[in-house]
Amino acid sequence: MRFVERAQGQLAALKTLAGDPMPIPPEKHADLVKIVHSLSGAAGTFGFPEVSRCAFELETALTAPEGTDPAAAHRLLARLIAELEGALA
């Protein structure tokens, strides 16, 4: 399934970003937003609503006008990784 193949690559990228110090370095912020935006839509379309919801929550946090709480973003990222790992297992 094409979604699964793409999601595996996105999962690897998310894990790399999760290993970075918080807050997310500015040069990687746009990449993270792009990945979670893609997952938010595609996961829901392909029957992974929990992954979609987690991705949407992280995207919302990352793009909040008041800025991103680094601790909250890290928790949301960890939850998204866990949900995506479960979906791909």
Side-chain angles (χ1 to χ4, degrees), residues 9-84:
Q10 290 169 321
L11 176 59
L14 291 173
K15 286 182 175 181
T16 298
L17 289 168
D20 284 346
M22 289 293 142
I24 302 293
E27 67 274 9
K28 296 182 180 180
H29 189 269
D31 292 337
L32 180 56
V33 171
K34 183 178 177 180
I35 292 168
V36 298
H37 177 78
S38 174
L39 279 170
S40 178
T45 299
F46 288 99
F48 301 98
E50 214 37 48
V51 172
S52 179
R53 186 180 60 75
C54 289
F56 178 77
E57 288 178 13
L58 178 55
E59 180 183 11
T60 300
L62 293 171
T63 58
E66 66 275 3
T68 304
D69 171 20
H74 189 59
R75 282 191 306 274
L76 290 168
L77 179 55
R79 197 167 89 220
L80 174 58
I81 288 170
E83 286 295 333
L84 191 52

